[in-house]
Amino acid sequence: MNRIWSSLRRQCDDEFAVRGLTSRPDWPVFAIRLDGEFQRLAELFWALYGSRPDFALQLVRLVEETFVAYERRDPTFRNRDDQMPPESGWFASSSQIGAVAYVDRFAGSLEGMIDRIPYLKELGVTFLHLMPFFRSPERHNDGGYAVSSYRDTNPALGSMEDLEALAHALAAAGIVLAADFVFNHTSDEHEWAKAARSGDLEYDDFYLVFPDRAEVDAFQNHLRDIFPEVRSGSFTWSEDMQAWVWTTFHSYQWDLNYGNPAVFCAMANEMLLLANRGISVLRLDAVAFIWKQSGTSCENLPEAHTIIKAFQSIARLACPSMLFLSEAIVHPDDIAAYIGLRECQLSYNPLLMAELWEASATREVRLLSLSLAKRHRLPAGCAWINYVRCHDDIGWTFADEDAAELGINGHDHRAFLNDFYMGTFPGSFSRGVSFQYNPANGDRRICGSAASLAGIERARLEGARLEGARLEGARLEGARLEGDSEDLDTAVQRVLLLYGIAFSVGGIPLLYMGDELGVTNDYSYESDPAESADSRWVHRPRWSDELATQRHDAKTVAGRLHSGMARMAKIRAANPVFGSQGLVVVDPGHHSVLAFHKQDTGKSLTVLGNFSDHAVRLDQQTVSLLLHGVRGINLLDGCLVMPDEDLPLEPCAMFWILS
Ligand code: GLC
Ligand code: GLC
């Protein structure tokens, strides 16, 4: 350790000795960790706050609070710290299946979640992200992402004790609990925000507050609007403070000022409290926005990485099994920058998500194949969270330069995809809803449930229309009805195909609860004043007993999707090759067919996905090349695939061929 850091370390030890900390029973273990971690933490903290006179004081206090959090850590979780450090890479195993759900919508309450554990187990779930369950403003809460207290639950969902009981029940069932760390902002009802509003200068400095409009404008010119339909600009005038407050998202979500070390320390404390409640994975919300600097877009700045690494360093001291999951919905290069063993071990994979939908619309896999070949590989020990839908909108986050390589104009292509998924493009199978149209640049994003975007809703409507016509005695030769409509079949296969790719590329597949039952868009948000301005509510499903019952009936959409996903989960868990991160994209000689190979301990997996809504035939020569001349077994139906025969692929069919 260099001299500065060793003298700082001594300062800590002396201070702690005076206060009797070093004679406490947990100190020796903590001291060993500190030996390994101190310099890294100090350097990160220095990079952020080295120019401040209170630098050393803040650092010493931070380490002390981290020690106290370690002392309070429950033996179950200490045990997990020993068994499951990030370096063990447990999360990359093929047995990991993720799910995400709203507590109220999926289970009523935190207590009700315990009763849903068997349901989750049917789908092989080992990793559960609960949407934000913290106290937040009654009405303006951005679906829980405006947090008023990280220490209290939303009383409608239950208490912190209920959360702890749930964490233990999940741990006993082999399910790891993930929760949000909404650390870019608090709600304007958080006690820090209230104190700031009442004129307390200590807390005023917790936020980014500007009395002077000129200062605001200097920033504003470089920023993008995240919710342009709600308001323009990233600042909100506070009457109480007679100043502008930085609010990247909604006006009631106040961005925290990480230029102030007290904010970092306060949030580190909240993080440690969450860890000690039994949360093993923190989803780092809106990571791109946490550091601001004038003259820049204030997204993905180097200091954002330093802050996350410093939080990670704190976690290594007090709760070293804690994983970070990055939520960065930005350019693929910027997404990759957050991923690392010492930063975020896990990351959402918004590129795969967007391009699965892109390939479905175009019936062409070239952009998807290019991205998988070029951008799928991660640093060792890290993993993607592969999802098809989540609580947020779909933004078309592919890189324009990737598209250009294929002669695709990014801007025009996004416009096409938006038209397609809103259902306005002729021949579209989708029924999606526009999100945050920005007339200034024509941007928009798309909302809708997987079932509605993939064609299930439209196929049913068409089925109902035909049924109506039939009842009226019209002649409808060749027309089919709901149960056996080809479009409905294809739509169901499409949902399974998209999920099947997420299950097989490597990383943790994430089931968005509701998709496994084919829940379609819920338009009731339109008549709820608290939700009507935010079309993301269209795809935030409520549990339905009726659909859940149908999951046992193979004749229903719910039954086909549920059994299909449960089967995929089982196959994945039983075959370690699915966990391997490396893949080789191959060209199967058809523009609609995605093909890749994976290899693990002598087994070879070939994944084929037909993104066309027509049947496709791969000729014998291609099949032989794909399978390296040896026969394989399609794990999805147990049938043999021979290298010397043509291979027909039904619309939206998928093959998982093991050889
Ligand atoms: C994240 C959430 C999103 C929320 C935003 C602001 O991106 O996923 O739902 O609106 O952060 O907290
Ligand atoms: C933007 C942000 C993302 C957020 C989303 C909400 O895409 O980058 O963090 O979740 O908006 O719609």
Side-chain angles (χ1 to χ4, degrees):
M1 211 186 292
N2 89 23
R3 282 226 315 280
I4 309 179
W5 307 130
S6 16
S7 89
L8 204 56
R9 172 68 205 274
R10 266 200 308 280
Q11 199 180 320
C12 274
D13 286 355
D14 293 348
E15 187 104 12
F16 295 165
V18 171
R19 274 190 266 157
L21 300 183
T22 51
S23 52
R24 307 227 289 240
D26 282 321
W27 179 258
V29 172
F30 187 80
I32 293 173
R33 288 189 191 163
L34 199 55
D35 288 343
E37 198 61 39
F38 185 79
Q39 178 168 347
R40 179 191 297 268
L41 175 62
E43 282 176 355
L44 293 164
F45 208 67
W46 177 264
L48 295 166
Y49 308 118
S51 61
R52 308 243 328 185
D54 58 348
F55 165 75
L57 192 80
Q58 296 275 7
L59 181 63
V60 173
R61 208 170 69 191
L62 179 64
V63 174
E64 178 179 341
E65 282 167 358
T66 308
F67 171 58
V68 173
Y70 170 63
E71 278 188 312
R72 297 195 177 141
R73 192 149 173 83
D74 181 292
T76 319
F77 306 136
R78 287 189 182 200
N79 197 22
R80 178 155 58 212
D81 293 339
D82 294 336
Q83 308 294 317
M84 296 166 79
E87 282 70 18
S88 68
W90 62 267
F91 43 88
S93 129
S94 72
S95 59
Q96 296 300 322
I97 311 282
V100 50
Y102 283 92
V103 175
D104 53 346
R105 292 181 170 229
F106 180 64
S109 64
L110 290 164
E111 210 186 334
M113 278 306 300
I114 297 183
D115 302 330
R116 289 274 183 264
I117 292 177
Y119 180 84
L120 295 169
K121 297 293 277 185
E122 281 176 29
L123 293 159
V125 170
T126 57
F127 172 106
L128 177 65
H129 171 212
L130 294 182
M131 295 299 293
F133 44 73
F134 305 101
R135 188 151 64 74
S136 54
E138 186 122 349
R139 187 154 164 174
H140 295 300
N141 58 39
D142 192 19
Y145 283 100
V147 176
S148 302
S149 164
Y150 302 93
R151 300 179 183 211
D152 301 317
T153 51
N154 171 352
L157 305 178
S159 62
M160 267 297 172
E161 290 65 45
D162 294 334
L163 177 71
E164 285 176 16
L166 173 62
H168 282 281
L170 289 168
I175 301 175
V176 150
L177 177 59
D180 283 273
F181 187 41
V182 186
F183 71 131
N184 175 69
H185 45 265
T186 71
S187 90
D188 59 358
E189 292 184 10
H190 193 285
E191 61 179 20
W192 302 337
K194 285 189 190 158
R197 268 211 307 265
S198 71
D200 183 330
L201 289 181
E202 184 185 345
Y203 287 102
D204 188 275
D205 201 24
F206 266 48
Y207 298 94
L208 295 145
V209 181
F210 307 92
D212 182 358
R213 181 72 214 184
E215 262 185 288
V216 166
D217 290 337
F219 280 108
Q220 184 62 68
N221 296 333
H222 303 274
L223 307 178
R224 69 179 164 121
D225 286 349
I226 303 298
F227 297 135
E229 281 179 9
V230 179
R231 68 205 183 93
S232 77
S234 297
F235 298 84
T236 302
W237 175 253
S238 163
E239 277 300 330
D240 295 327
M241 294 154 90
Q242 288 294 302
W244 297 91
V245 182
W246 198 308
T247 55
T248 299
F249 294 91
H250 292 96
S251 54
Y252 52 84
Q253 288 165 303
W254 288 17
D255 287 45
L256 285 162
N257 172 21
Y258 279 94
N260 174 4
V263 168
F264 179 90
C265 296
M267 285 307 288
N269 244 325
E270 304 307 296
M271 175 184 85
L272 293 171
L273 285 170
L274 292 175
N276 281 352
R277 300 281 187 194
I279 291 155
S280 308
V281 180
L282 281 182
R283 172 191 182 275
L284 268 49
D285 183 62
V287 289
F289 301 92
I290 55 179
W291 190 266
K292 280 80 171 169
Q293 163 137 25
S294 66
T296 74
S297 69
C298 298
E299 289 187 42
N300 309 304
L301 294 176
E303 289 83 353
H305 296 282
T306 312
I307 290 170
I308 299 168
K309 287 179 183 154
F311 279 130
Q312 175 67 209
S313 185
I314 296 291
R316 294 295 176 123
L317 290 171
C319 48
S321 58
M322 170 71 82
L323 299 178
F324 285 178
L325 158 58
S326 148
E327 189 248 352
I329 315 300
V330 288
H331 187 284
D333 291 339
D334 294 319
I335 294 173
Y338 293 97
I339 308 171
L341 255 186
R342 279 299 187 143
E343 194 167 345
C344 296
Q345 298 85 1
L346 300 170
S347 168
Y348 281 100
N349 193 349
L351 183 61
L352 177 76
M353 183 279 292
E355 288 184 347
L356 286 171
W357 291 107
E358 187 271 344
S360 300
T362 57
R363 283 80 156 177
E364 286 193 352
V365 298
R366 53 195 185 133
L367 197 51
L368 176 58
S369 299
L370 176 85
S371 295
L372 280 175
K374 180 169 164 183
R375 300 185 180 274
H376 188 67
R377 188 168 286 283
L378 287 183
C382 298
W384 291 113
I385 298 281
N386 296 310
Y387 64 113
V388 172
R389 286 301 292 119
C390 72
H391 70 288
D392 277 332
D393 46 287
I394 300 178
W396 308 108
T397 52
F398 57 81
D400 279 6
E401 58 277 22
D402 291 358
E405 265 182 56
L406 303 169
I408 299 171
N409 173 300
H411 176 270
D412 297 352
H413 201 48
R414 288 188 183 91
F416 157 72
L417 292 166
N418 284 327
D419 281 347
F420 188 91
Y421 281 105
M422 287 188 298
T424 45
F425 193 85
S428 166
F429 49 71
S430 164
R431 278 178 61 91
V433 180
S434 166
F435 184 64
Q436 302 302 330
Y437 175 60
N438 188 342
N441 53 19
D443 282 355
R444 70 168 97 231
R445 282 112 74 188
I446 291 293
C447 292
S449 71
S452 292
L453 296 178
I456 291 175
E457 185 178 335
R458 190 177 275 271
R460 279 194 180 132
L461 283 172
E462 182 64 6
R465 193 183 64 78
L466 295 174
E467 170 70 2
R470 189 181 63 84
L471 290 176
E472 280 165 29
R475 278 188 53 199
L476 292 164
E477 273 166 65
R480 291 150 168 265
L481 299 183
E482 147 119 31
D484 61 352
S485 128
E486 261 175 43
D487 288 350
L488 188 64
D489 274 354
T490 304
V492 169
Q493 282 309 122
R494 186 174 287 118
V495 174
L496 290 172
L497 169 63
L498 301 193
Y499 267 100
I501 303 301
F503 268 72
S504 57
V505 280
I508 304 181
L510 187 70
L511 295 163
Y512 182 55
M513 285 293 98
D515 285 356
E516 81 289 5
L517 298 173
V519 178
T520 48
N521 285 350
D522 176 357
Y523 299 98
S524 65
Y525 79 98
E526 288 171 348
S527 48
D528 182 333
E531 297 175 358
S532 57
D534 189 338
S535 55
R536 290 177 295 174
W537 289 105
V538 81
H539 59 239
R540 296 175 174 175
R542 290 188 179 80
W543 174 266
S544 146
D545 276 330
E546 190 191 342
L547 285 181
T549 308
Q550 286 178 13
R551 78 186 186 278
H552 303 299
D553 178 354
K555 290 194 300 297
T556 62
V557 166
R560 285 155 71 191
L561 288 174
H562 189 277
S563 63
M565 291 192 196
R567 185 179 330 120
M568 292 196 294
K570 234 192 202 130
I571 296 171
R572 188 185 132 97
N575 291 278
V577 64
F578 283 91
S580 113
Q581 297 276 334
L583 60 75
V584 179
V585 177
V586 283
D587 178 6
H590 193 289
H591 59 266
S592 295
V593 180
L594 176 73
F596 59 85
H597 285 310
K598 301 179 75 169
Q599 212 109 38
D600 185 72
T601 51
K603 295 279 184 197
S604 161
L605 177 74
T606 305
V607 173
L608 298 175
N610 176 17
F611 281 77
S612 168
D613 29 18
H614 297 288
V616 162
R617 205 175 179 82
L618 301 183
D619 63 36
Q620 178 267 317
Q621 225 177 339
T622 310
V623 178
S624 177
L625 277 174
L626 279 174
L627 297 183
H628 305 293
V630 293
R631 66 182 192 178
I633 180 159
N634 178 14
L635 297 171
L636 291 164
D637 63 7
C639 293
L640 277 177
V641 183
M642 305 303 288
D644 51 0
E645 287 174 11
D646 287 4
L647 186 63
L649 303 177
E650 293 295 305
C652 293
M654 181 175 60
F655 280 69
W656 283 354
I657 308 169
L658 193 71
S659 45

